[in-house]
Amino acid sequence: MPEQRDITFDLGTIMQGACSGTLVQYPCKGQLELHHFPSILFIFDFSYLYCLLVEMHYITSCLYPLGRSGFRPHLSAGPPMTDYPVQFPLARPSRNNLMAICIHSDHRPRYPNSYFPASGFGQQKRRASAVNTAESWFSTCCQGNEMWGREATLCCAIQAWELSVQSFCQEDSSVKDRLYSCCRKEGRDRLNCFHKDAPNPNYGPTEVLPVPPVPSGANFNFEPSTCQRGTLTTNLKGNKGKKVKTLSTSQKIDINFPPGRPTADNIESICQNQKLRPLYSVKCLPRSDYEWLTRQAKTINRIEKGFKQCCKKKMGMLSCADRKWLEEFKKFCTGENGEQVDFHCCSAGDGENDQYKCFQDISPDPHYNMTSTNEELSLSKLCDTHKIIKNKFPVGFPLKNFVTHCCPLPEQHQSSCFQERLKETSEKLCLAKKVSPPAVRRCCRAPTQDSLQCISKILMDAVTKANSFLHQKKRKRCPLS
């Protein structure tokens, strides 16, 4: 029978040796058996319990070293969080990293459901979902860059990032778990905290091979016209260190920029519909922060002026218009001091031809079909044109009854109101003994239904004329509505 002896434990020495493998050859993973202590025989249950505690402490120390937070998971929690790393949080989009956000998107990590075990890791999963969501929304912004320009794309990315931060904190605070420290802050402090914690603030590529996108479960709808004046919490810096403000939701950009390049297919529309296309006033714009919109408006005005001169020519109309278009966009891309203007088409490709193709490709109206002639007119337009009709295109009967009763109503109810008032007016005109204009008398000689349509046509003709007059008179409009 082996000799029995009392034992004492120096827990620190045992653990130092256990984890380093110098004193006791412990495997770093797997179940520990009692034969790991071959020279120790247990006399009392207390000693057995002590050794069991040593063994348990060894396992947690070897497999789960203390992190920055000092948190050590329970044995039943499975593998440590470091086995499923998440590159979280993402940094605030800025002028300095916007290009990297778009270019290196597929070389930054995504986290599909298969990345994690079926159970556990709720904290890591919430962080991964926030990264997937933000990256998915960034892709939406980057896809719209060709149409919106860099400023609106940056605004889109910032809105996406701020919304993803807000959504993450809402979800993180809704579960009984440790709340991410930045979510304890509010407003700008919270956003700055997320930005400072970002492990990859420049959005550089961290994956060797392209990664497949992971779609977001939440929708993100961005309208570039909401990006001009002070709604974002981030201060951006523009050229020469000037602050670039953002848009309020009540202001929208109302400008068709850039106009399409003249071709054999659209030159007829360019010349025939020129009076129906607007020019733009820049006096309505604030003195600062809208230089980019002022530049676009002035370019359109000069191009339209050149088109007017070219359309008077009997020969070489197309070549004249195309030359004017090329000249103006070359001028558009060159700043006052010869520097390149910050517009994505101005830096497209290796030469001017690539720039011109870019402008042509992103034109909202390359065929010059978006004019007021396509506007669907109805009697509701009387609300805007009744004074012009009275003074310029009288119909032979008063319009006060229409305007007083129908114009204050919501748009969805105006149409039925005008039809009712038209029927009432038609009956009064045809029953009255008062002498009416010849056109109205001809309508009243027809059957009741036909007379109603006849008088309606008189009124609509007047609305059409007044609307054209209104567009010509107000052809120069503000590009910011």
Side-chain angles (χ1 to χ4, degrees):
M1 181 175 179
E3 181 183 356
Q4 296 182 353
R5 58 188 177 86
D6 294 336
I7 59 173
T8 59
F9 293 92
D10 184 347
L11 186 60
T13 302
I14 291 177
M15 293 320 305
Q16 181 181 1
C19 290
S20 64
T22 57
L23 295 181
V24 183
Q25 297 299 318
Y26 276 35
C28 229
K29 289 186 180 180
Q31 185 177 359
L32 294 179
E33 304 289 347
L34 289 179
H35 64 256
H36 294 144
F37 298 94
S39 63
I40 300 175
L41 295 177
F42 297 94
I43 303 174
F44 304 108
D45 290 341
F46 176 77
S47 299
Y48 177 81
L49 178 60
Y50 200 162
C51 279
L52 183 60
L53 290 175
V54 171
E55 185 173 331
M56 294 287 286
H57 187 73
Y58 158 74
I59 295 174
T60 57
S61 297
C62 286
L63 296 186
Y64 306 108
L66 285 172
R68 292 172 57 188
S69 65
F71 171 70
R72 184 176 285 146
H74 296 292
L75 288 175
S76 60
M81 293 172 66
T82 52
D83 284 1
Y84 299 95
V86 177
Q87 202 172 95
F88 174 90
L90 301 183
R92 176 190 290 115
S94 67
R95 285 174 177 269
N96 296 328
N97 61 26
L98 179 62
M99 184 174 293
I101 287 175
C102 294
I103 292 177
H104 302 310
S105 175
D106 60 348
H107 284 273
R108 290 191 299 272
R110 302 295 192 278
Y111 308 96
N113 292 334
S114 58
Y115 180 73
F116 295 101
S119 61
F121 295 92
Q123 188 179 94
Q124 291 294 84
K125 288 178 180 179
R126 290 192 296 275
R127 296 181 182 185
S129 177
V131 172
N132 293 341
T133 295
E135 289 283 8
S136 175
W137 291 350
F138 286 162
S139 296
T140 299
C141 298
C142 295
Q143 289 170 7
N145 182 56
E146 289 295 319
M147 290 293 295
W148 301 335
R150 187 176 180 181
E151 294 299 332
T153 302
L154 177 58
C155 170
C156 175
I158 293 174
Q159 284 189 8
W161 179 75
E162 292 185 356
L163 184 59
S164 69
V165 168
Q166 177 185 349
S167 300
F168 169 77
C169 286
Q170 287 177 348
E171 183 180 5
D172 208 39
S173 61
S174 66
V175 295
K176 293 182 178 180
D177 200 349
R178 213 171 31 145
L179 184 66
Y180 187 67
S181 59
C182 291
C183 291
R184 301 182 186 277
K185 303 178 184 292
E186 298 290 339
R188 182 183 297 275
D189 292 337
R190 172 187 287 183
L191 297 175
N192 289 340
C193 181
F194 272 86
H195 177 69
K196 290 177 182 178
D197 279 2
N200 184 19
N202 296 323
Y203 284 89
T206 58
E207 304 299 308
V208 177
L209 298 176
V211 298
V214 177
S216 169
N219 293 327
F220 174 68
N221 297 317
F222 173 72
E223 171 54 52
S225 62
T226 63
C227 280
Q228 283 299 319
R229 226 168 158 70
T231 55
L232 295 184
T233 59
T234 309
N235 287 326
L236 308 178
K237 292 288 184 180
N239 294 333
K240 301 179 182 179
K242 295 181 180 178
K243 284 186 178 181
V244 178
K245 296 182 180 179
T246 48
L247 286 177
S248 68
T249 54
S250 61
Q251 292 177 301
K252 292 187 177 182
I253 303 301
D254 185 18
I255 186 171
N256 286 333
F257 183 87
R261 183 172 181 173
T263 64
D265 295 329
N266 63 22
I267 187 63
E268 186 175 348
S269 296
I270 287 175
C271 293
Q272 286 185 354
N273 300 330
Q274 190 178 23
K275 290 184 178 180
L276 298 175
R277 294 192 299 273
L279 298 177
Y280 297 97
S281 172
V282 296
K283 294 180 180 179
C284 61
L285 298 176
R287 294 183 178 179
S288 61
D289 305 326
Y290 286 87
E291 292 86 353
W292 60 277
L293 188 55
T294 299
R295 193 175 194 84
Q296 292 182 11
K298 287 184 176 180
T299 297
I300 290 178
N301 291 346
R302 288 195 297 265
I303 286 177
E304 289 289 354
K305 183 179 179 180
F307 285 170
K308 185 176 181 181
Q309 297 170 353
C310 295
C311 290
K312 293 179 180 179
K313 297 179 178 292
K314 294 183 179 179
M315 298 292 292
M317 186 185 303
L318 174 58
S319 60
C320 174
D322 188 50
R323 184 171 61 254
K324 185 63 180 177
W325 188 89
L326 294 173
E327 290 173 357
E328 289 303 328
F329 277 107
K330 182 177 181 180
K331 186 185 297 184
F332 174 85
C333 285
T334 306
E336 296 178 0
N337 299 322
E339 74 279 6
Q340 190 178 77
V341 172
D342 185 15
F343 190 87
H344 65 284
C345 280
C346 295
S347 57
D350 298 325
E352 290 181 350
N353 289 333
D354 292 328
Q355 295 175 10
Y356 299 145
K357 184 179 185 302
C358 178
F359 281 113
Q360 172 66 4
D361 290 343
I362 67 172
S363 173
D365 185 23
H367 302 293
Y368 289 83
N369 292 328
M370 292 170 57
T371 63
S372 59
T373 54
N374 294 331
E375 184 179 4
E376 292 186 8
L377 297 178
S378 65
L379 288 177
S380 300
K381 203 67 180 176
L382 272 175
C383 299
D384 299 326
T385 60
H386 65 95
K387 291 182 179 179
I388 298 175
I389 293 174
K390 180 180 179 181
N391 297 327
K392 296 286 185 180
F393 312 103
V395 292
F397 52 88
L399 302 177
K400 184 178 180 180
N401 190 31
F402 293 89
V403 176
T404 303
H405 290 88
C406 301
C407 291
L409 298 176
E411 289 186 12
Q412 62 268 30
H413 300 308
Q414 285 183 357
S415 179
S416 59
C417 177
F418 276 110
Q419 291 299 325
E420 292 175 5
R421 297 298 164 182
L422 180 63
K423 183 178 180 181
E424 179 183 312
T425 301
S426 177
E427 291 174 352
K428 288 183 178 179
L429 288 173
C430 293
L431 292 175
K433 297 180 180 180
K434 185 179 178 180
V435 177
S436 302
V440 176
R441 289 202 301 270
R442 285 195 296 272
C443 290
C444 290
R445 295 193 192 106
T448 303
Q449 188 62 32
D450 293 340
S451 64
L452 178 62
Q453 293 178 359
C454 181
I455 292 177
S456 176
K457 186 176 183 305
I458 292 175
L459 197 53
M460 280 305 303
D461 287 345
V463 168
T464 303
K465 292 177 183 177
N467 189 62
S468 297
F469 179 83
L470 183 65
H471 275 276
Q472 290 180 19
K473 185 178 180 181
K474 294 184 178 181
R475 189 183 171 199
K476 210 164 190 178
R477 68 190 187 203
C478 185
L480 184 65
S481 60

